[in-house]
Amino acid sequence: MEKTRSSFSGKLGFILAAAGSAVGLGNIWRFPYLAAKYGGGTFLLIYIILSVTFGFALMVAEICIGRKTGLSPIGAFGKLNKKFSFLGYLAALIPVMILPYYSVIGGWVTKYFFSYATNNIPTNSAAVTDKSSIFSDFFNNFVCDTGSPILWFLIFIGVTALIVWFGVEKGIEKVSKIMMPVLVFLSIGIAIYVLFQDGALEGAKYYLIPDFSNMTPQTLLMTVVAAMGQLFYSMSLAMGIMITYGSYMKKDVNVESAVHKIEWFDTGIAFFAGLMVIPAIFAAGGSGIEKPGPGLMFVALPSVFDSMPGGKIIGTVFFLLVFLAALTSSISLMETVVSIFQDKFKMRRGTSCAIVLGICVLLGLPSSLGFGIWDITSYIGMTFLDLFDLLSNYILMPIAALLTCILVGYIIKPKAIIDEVELSGKFKHKKLFVVMIKYIAPVFLLIILVSSVLDTFSDSFTI
Ligand code: TRP
């Protein structure tokens, strides 16, 4: 911490930076496949409710912890309470688990961009009913291969590491801030196009209308667990990122309204991504919807682009934009870890980058190979990628979030956070905040944690 802490220029700067970290593969790739997997409308409804209550409270707490202490997570928790220093380390471990498999998916996106740009995507000219099968074959052939997905994974993580190493992320961030709105408009446009296709409305109904009729308590619980995991992931919560951002935030910026904006922006993009991907699967004939997994986006969208006029160009632009969104997120994930290594072990930036890159490559290989030669699905019911995803989103993040709630609710007390919020105006949802942080969130998190652990060991998590 030799340098004095820089700060965001103002409210807009803060919102854009936080939203830039939040919007990434979580919104465009992960949200739609989880929504498809966990009952469509039910998942969407639960997600939105959690976002405005639980997500709101936790984000306010994290940002205020950062702004109050002016430190990044490792120092911040320790400053609030000595006994909680470990929480900073725990939070810092989570990006190390996420970044490797994030980059595997980032590699797939890069591959799709290149395939579109070089016109190497299959075309479906025959009038077959199940159009998605040709694209799911293309996807499966790619991910089940050994060398090719690894190569693209290495390219993606390599580019990330280079940018972090040279510290040129500001340039990339500028580009992506201009491109991001384009991505939003493109997604909305694609979603509208999809909705006019035959069969798409069935998909829209599935996605938009909650159906609790054949829910059992167990499936409902699993949906809540999945929605909560997605909330952490998508809003970059429970891993100290928002604490770091909060530490750069000026005291006169209104925390509450900033959080609302980030929340709606992030959820809005996820919403349109779902509206683009899920109806597309129905329109294309439905293969894939019975067992949606991480490949959903890579099968649904190419079959939409295939039937669109100018689809090849739209596909190229779309995957380029997703690539950029993923890259800005992977840069900040890696930056977090690299700076911790630098600070803690007094390492040079280059060394720290190289070590983090090495760890990520090692941890990423099983996620990539897990679709091919290292397929462990028959033993534990999920791939390595799912396993890393589960460990981070359903186990480590709930633990970090639970401890944060205990720290804020019972040790430093909610008033410390409320005072921080009120430095810049009235805290409108103060009651909601207190009730969430003290009572509802901890109980919820505990249930989630217990059920995730039980499910992991009883194998029933993957349906
Ligand atoms: N929120 C990002 C997404 O939706 C992923 C992510 C999680 C992230 N934690 C992060 C990005 C920390 C940057 C920093 O894709």
Side-chain angles (χ1 to χ4, degrees), residues 21-27 102 233-236 239 241 329 332-333:
S21 153
V23 176
L25 291 176
N27 308 61
Y102 200 87
Y233 190 94
S234 189
M235 295 196 180
S236 314
M239 59 184 91
I241 303 284
S329 292
S332 49
L333 281 162

